[in-house]
Amino acid sequence: EKARAESQQLYMELVDKAADPIWLRRPGGELVIVNDACCRMLGYSREILLKMNIQEILHPADMESLSISNRLHLGESIRIEHTLTHKDGHIVTVEANLRRLNNGDILSILRDMTERKNTENRFRTMLDAGVIAMLLVTPRGSIVMANKLAAELFGYSNEELCKLKIEALIPEHYRPSHKSVRKIFMANPTPRPMAKGREVYGLRKDGGEVPLKIGLQNVANGGDSFVLVSAVDISEAKRAKERFRIMVESSPSIVVVTDDNGSITHLNKRAEDLLGYLRGELLGKSIEVLLPESSRRRHPKLRDAFMRNPSVRNMGGNLDLNILRKDGS
């Protein structure tokens, strides 16, 4: 009896000094043990709590979690979320690890998740206010949060998305390499576009593929690390690019496209025919290669002046301009 009393006293001291709130309740809900952390979390004294039933602490909207815990078999454990009511009336959200003991009592070890839940809600509000599709993904690829635009983009409900791995949104032929890409990003989680220089496609619920521009951003929350994936549908941009290409190719005039620095990025078939070059011979070269020596020296200044005020105009005013063919003519 003495050993039993000492063991019980040690048990009570360990429970009482635990950092996490702990309570023990009868099958009917009466509280028989509460520790100091539990009292601090709920704002009640121990004496008052030991006169209360768990139904007086649970928020009225959370009685379903009580039914779930009451269905536990002897020796069975479960992890569940409880919404509790503090003495002053504010809501306390906890993660509870429950275990039904052999005598039928239920032991609950709780963790206050209120601040984390508030942070998640604020973050979700920010996601939903975004103007592009966004998903929050764990390092292992599980989707834990998605905004409305992401649900619309991929054709799923928000609840369906949050049950998927990110690979489910990637066409099957891209999946084998994606896990290694994710590991590389987590090893050096700096903000970056995904697959820069390559086309990226997403897979919709209906099986359709959609071209995307993807951005990756590391996000920390409560010691956990996540990847914020932003996705922009570039289908219309690709269609516009294709329309532009067709328009350029079908033009009866020579059309040459350059970047700001004068490097040739595109030319049409008419330009190939009249200039005597194959397309690959000019792409990436400076536009100056098409100018006679007499025009070459002053052209960079003219180009810089145009880029400072890029309005539609004739080059050289009323002067005739010459282009140099590959054969020197």
Side-chain angles (χ1 to χ4, degrees), residues 44 66 72 87 113 121 131 167 183 195 203 214 229 244 272 278 288-289 300:
Y44 293 97
L66 181 62
L72 283 174
K87 182 182 178 181
M113 304 290 287
N121 289 337
V131 295
E167 279 78 18
K183 287 179 181 178
L203 183 66
I214 299 290
V229 181
F244 176 75
E272 284 185 295
L278 294 176
E288 275 80 35
V289 301

Side-chain angles (χ1 to χ4, degrees), residues 247-264:
M247 182 178 67
V248 167
E249 285 298 327
S250 60
S251 173
S253 304
I254 294 175
V255 178
V256 180
V257 183
T258 75
D259 61 17
D260 292 358
N261 298 316
S263 295
I264 298 172

Side-chain angles (χ1 to χ4, degrees), residues 61-122:
D62 192 33
M63 290 301 164
E64 174 61 23
S65 68
L66 181 62
S67 301
I68 293 172
S69 60
N70 283 338
R71 291 197 291 269
L72 283 174
H73 300 294
L74 297 182
E76 189 178 2
S77 299
I78 193 174
R79 179 178 292 181
I80 197 170
E81 190 174 286
H82 278 317
T83 304
L84 311 176
T85 306
H86 191 274
K87 182 182 178 181
D88 64 14
H90 79 261
I91 300 300
V92 179
T93 304
V94 298
E95 183 183 68
N97 288 295
L98 311 180
R99 183 176 182 82
R100 187 178 284 276
L101 306 181
N102 290 333
N103 65 355
D105 292 347
I106 296 178
L107 177 68
S108 298
I109 301 174
L110 313 172
R111 177 161 294 177
D112 190 345
M113 304 290 287
T114 306
E115 184 53 39
R116 178 167 181 168
K117 205 74 175 175
N118 289 340
T119 301
E120 286 180 0
N121 289 337
R122 288 193 295 269

Side-chain angles (χ1 to χ4, degrees), residues 272-288:
E272 284 185 295
D273 293 341
L274 292 183
L275 297 176
Y277 286 95
L278 294 176
R279 198 165 306 206
E281 294 177 295
L282 287 178
L283 292 179
K285 299 288 181 61
S286 172
I287 188 70
E288 275 80 35

Side-chain angles (χ1 to χ4, degrees), residues 165-184:
K165 288 270 194 178
I166 192 68
E167 279 78 18
L169 306 182
I170 298 172
E172 197 164 345
H173 47 282
Y174 291 121
R175 289 177 192 173
S177 61
H178 185 263
K179 290 184 180 179
S180 61
V181 170
R182 191 170 68 237
K183 287 179 181 178
I184 292 170

Side-chain angles (χ1 to χ4, degrees), residues 24-59:
L24 182 70
R25 68 176 180 88
R26 300 288 187 221
E30 303 87 359
L31 295 170
V32 291
I33 294 176
V34 292
N35 67 352
D36 280 346
C38 187
C39 297
R40 289 194 299 271
M41 181 181 71
L42 295 171
Y44 293 97
S45 67
R46 193 190 310 266
E47 291 72 26
I48 293 177
L49 277 176
L50 292 177
K51 294 176 183 177
M52 296 177 72
N53 190 290
I54 188 175
Q55 295 187 44
E56 300 173 71
I57 300 170
L58 278 177
H59 190 272

